[in-house]
Amino acid sequence: MTTNYKIGDIYKHKENLKPIEELKIYLEDIIVQIESELNIIINNSDGNCFNWRERKIPSFMNKYTSNDKIFLKINLEINKISDANIIIISETIEKLVESYINNSIVAKEKKEDNRDNGDNGDNEDNRDNGDNGDNEDNGDNEDNRDNGEDIEEKDIEERDTGEDIEERDNGEDIEEKCNEPISYINKCANYLTKNIYDKCYAQDISFSKNYIHFFQNIKDKNLLDIIKFNLKKKSEEFVEFIKLEDYSEYKFNNKQFVNVAYVNGLLYDKNFLSSQESYSMLDLILKNIFSILEWQPVDKDVLEKKVNLMIGFLLAGHHKLWSFFNTDTKQDIEHQIQCISNHNHIPNKIKYSILDMNDKILDSLKDQEKEKKLLEKKERVLKQKKYE
């Protein structure tokens, strides 16, 4: 059945719509076509077709164990992070991590108990079989009696050795049990940090700020230590990313290149990276940009991506970097950025991006200076009141 109804008509004003009856016919026609196509695609092993409106789709959650579902809850909490709820989210995630560790230990102990019970059943069967064998070997008893003294000495040695082995095994068991919580914490820390770029590069910058700020609010020392270690590894990945000469495998737009670098600038600003590490990153980015400008013709696409890395990194980390730099280093960095902006082979689009970054950094530093002066003024007033 065909109609003159078009999907585009739905978006027009109400008065321009076709009669409702014709819309009903059109939608029924769509459903018939969908069911026809699905009958071709979706077949079971017998060759019979499912009715797509009755077919049950397996639950997405079924592939996760009850304990692993905690990671989905953690992910849900992360996606809810905002300026107003960072502390609450941090506390909630730490409770989920604690729950995951306890559940994992209980599940492992239960599994070991079941295995031990199974082994005990096997041992009893073996013992019964062994007793029957002894009855059949009565003819060898005289030989065994002759060698009794040797066997007794051997038994003593084996007993001593067995006690040593048992003590060692007990020590290893204790050590393993002590390390269990750390291994589970490590799994949680890996989950929280492994996709940091995937989570942040496609989001607004405010999400990146909140996500890194969330790490700062974690109170569990073991969890925080592993997260710090993982973030160091992530920064090493970023260094390799800076060195790339071809970004064709990364389907990022310009804003997303800025965001990836912004995350690493935040890691420095929030004390997850050292000043020297961050300065090395910035120096590497600048060297890469100048290296591209030396070759003719200039690869404008790669150049723009490198410049966006510089912009993102400096927008996030300039406060601490400018405080870390001595006057000569700061002037040198500013001069290099100006040389890039004024280079003959820089397209206007990239030049304006750099100028915009400079304006934002300048405004940010001015605001920082104002806040500093206001804070100093408040401290002076408090001191005066104290002595009055």
Side-chain angles (χ1 to χ4, degrees):
M1 179 182 296
T2 60
T3 71
N4 295 321
Y5 204 87
K6 298 178 181 178
I7 293 177
D9 292 334
I10 297 173
Y11 299 98
K12 293 181 181 179
H13 296 290
K14 183 177 179 180
E15 55 268 24
N16 294 331
L17 287 175
K18 302 287 176 130
I20 296 298
E21 183 62 26
E22 190 174 1
L23 176 60
K24 180 183 175 183
I25 294 170
Y26 175 72
L27 293 175
E28 287 176 350
D29 187 44
I30 288 178
I31 291 173
V32 170
Q33 290 182 47
I34 290 173
E35 188 164 10
S36 175
E37 291 177 10
L38 285 174
N39 281 339
I40 296 171
I41 297 170
I42 306 174
N43 294 305
N44 62 14
S45 58
D46 298 324
N48 298 320
C49 299
F50 290 105
N51 184 316
W52 69 276
R53 286 173 293 190
E54 298 175 359
R55 182 169 177 261
K56 300 291 185 183
I57 299 175
S59 173
F60 170 75
M61 298 289 282
N62 285 347
K63 64 181 180 179
Y64 291 92
T65 65
S66 58
N67 202 20
D68 285 337
K69 286 178 184 177
I70 289 176
F71 289 106
L72 298 179
K73 292 179 181 178
I74 290 174
N75 188 59
L76 180 64
E77 293 299 319
I78 290 172
N79 291 334
K80 294 191 296 186
I81 287 178
S82 68
D83 292 334
N85 66 8
I86 287 178
I87 294 176
I88 296 173
I89 294 292
S90 301
E91 292 173 351
T92 302
I93 289 178
E94 287 195 73
K95 288 178 182 177
L96 288 171
V97 170
E98 184 179 355
S99 176
Y100 171 77
I101 293 168
N102 293 335
N103 291 347
S104 297
I105 292 173
V106 169
K108 185 177 179 182
E109 289 176 349
K110 187 175 181 181
K111 186 176 180 181
E112 289 175 350
D113 288 342
N114 291 336
R115 189 179 61 217
D116 291 342
N117 291 335
D119 291 342
N120 289 336
D122 294 338
N123 290 336
E124 289 179 4
D125 293 340
N126 292 334
R127 189 163 58 247
D128 292 340
N129 293 333
D131 292 341
N132 292 336
D134 290 341
N135 292 333
E136 294 174 1
D137 293 336
N138 286 334
D140 296 332
N141 284 342
E142 291 182 2
D143 294 336
N144 289 337
R145 246 192 331 267
D146 293 338
N147 297 326
E149 294 179 0
D150 294 338
I151 292 172
E152 185 177 352
E153 290 177 5
K154 194 181 221 180
D155 285 344
I156 294 171
E157 290 177 3
E158 288 179 352
R159 189 163 60 248
D160 292 341
T161 306
E163 290 174 356
D164 293 339
I165 292 172
E166 186 177 355
E167 287 179 7
R168 187 170 66 249
D169 289 343
N170 289 337
E172 289 174 355
D173 288 343
I174 293 170
E175 184 178 356
E176 184 179 348
K177 286 184 178 180
C178 290
N179 289 332
E180 273 179 8
I182 296 296
S183 67
Y184 297 130
I185 290 174
N186 191 58
K187 186 174 181 180
C188 293
N190 289 342
Y191 183 82
L192 289 169
T193 53
K194 69 176 180 178
N195 293 326
I196 183 170
Y197 292 137
D198 292 336
K199 278 197 167 294
C200 292
Y201 87 89
Q203 300 272 4
D204 187 79
I205 278 176
S206 61
F207 178 84
S208 299
K209 287 181 179 179
N210 292 328
Y211 195 41
I212 304 302
H213 192 191
F214 149 70
F215 290 139
Q216 286 185 296
N217 283 279
I218 291 176
K219 294 182 176 63
D220 187 301
K221 186 178 182 302
N222 290 326
L223 180 61
L224 184 59
D225 286 345
I226 299 172
I227 284 174
K228 286 180 177 179
F229 177 80
N230 288 352
L231 292 177
K232 288 267 189 182
K233 293 293 183 183
K234 287 295 177 183
S235 69
E236 292 172 8
E237 290 179 18
F238 179 63
V239 169
E240 297 305 314
F241 187 73
I242 294 170
K243 296 176 183 178
L244 290 177
E245 297 178 358
D246 181 11
Y247 293 100
S248 57
E249 65 176 292
Y250 297 93
K251 307 303 178 184
F252 296 170
N253 58 36
N254 290 329
K255 182 181 177 182
Q256 290 166 344
F257 270 89
V258 172
N259 287 355
V260 169
Y262 193 89
V263 170
N264 285 275
L266 282 173
L267 291 177
Y268 167 54
D269 190 59
K270 302 304 180 184
N271 301 317
F272 290 101
L273 297 177
S274 69
S275 294
Q276 188 57 51
E277 287 171 324
S278 296
Y279 172 61
S280 298
M281 285 183 189
L282 178 58
D283 186 54
L284 181 61
I285 294 172
L286 292 171
K287 285 178 178 176
N288 270 253
I289 293 173
F290 280 110
S291 177
I292 294 172
L293 290 172
E294 288 175 0
W295 291 92
Q296 299 298 323
V298 171
D299 188 332
K300 294 179 182 179
D301 181 61
V302 176
L303 175 63
E304 186 172 16
K305 289 175 170 57
K306 300 283 188 182
V307 169
N308 283 330
L309 293 178
M310 176 188 74
I311 290 171
F313 190 78
L314 282 175
L315 285 177
H318 66 272
H319 282 294
K320 284 189 68 176
L321 278 173
W322 260 239
S323 299
F324 170 68
F325 293 151
N326 58 37
T327 303
D328 291 339
T329 304
K330 184 163 63 174
Q331 288 177 349
D332 179 56
I333 296 294
E334 290 173 342
H335 177 69
Q336 289 187 62
I337 295 171
Q338 186 178 10
C339 287
I340 294 169
S341 177
N342 294 336
H343 199 281
N344 292 333
H345 299 110
I346 285 280
N348 286 334
K349 179 184 176 183
I350 299 177
K351 180 180 293 188
Y352 293 144
S353 296
I354 296 174
L355 292 174
D356 182 58
M357 177 200 71
N358 285 335
D359 290 340
K360 287 179 179 178
I361 288 176
L362 187 61
D363 291 341
S364 177
L365 291 172
K366 285 180 179 178
D367 290 340
Q368 185 185 39
E369 190 63 27
K370 286 180 183 178
E371 289 176 5
K372 184 180 178 182
K373 288 180 178 179
L374 284 172
L375 184 62
E376 289 174 351
K377 185 177 180 181
K378 285 181 181 179
E379 288 177 352
R380 285 198 301 270
V381 170
L382 288 172
K383 284 182 179 179
Q384 288 176 358
K385 287 183 178 180
K386 186 177 180 181
Y387 290 111
E388 285 177 357

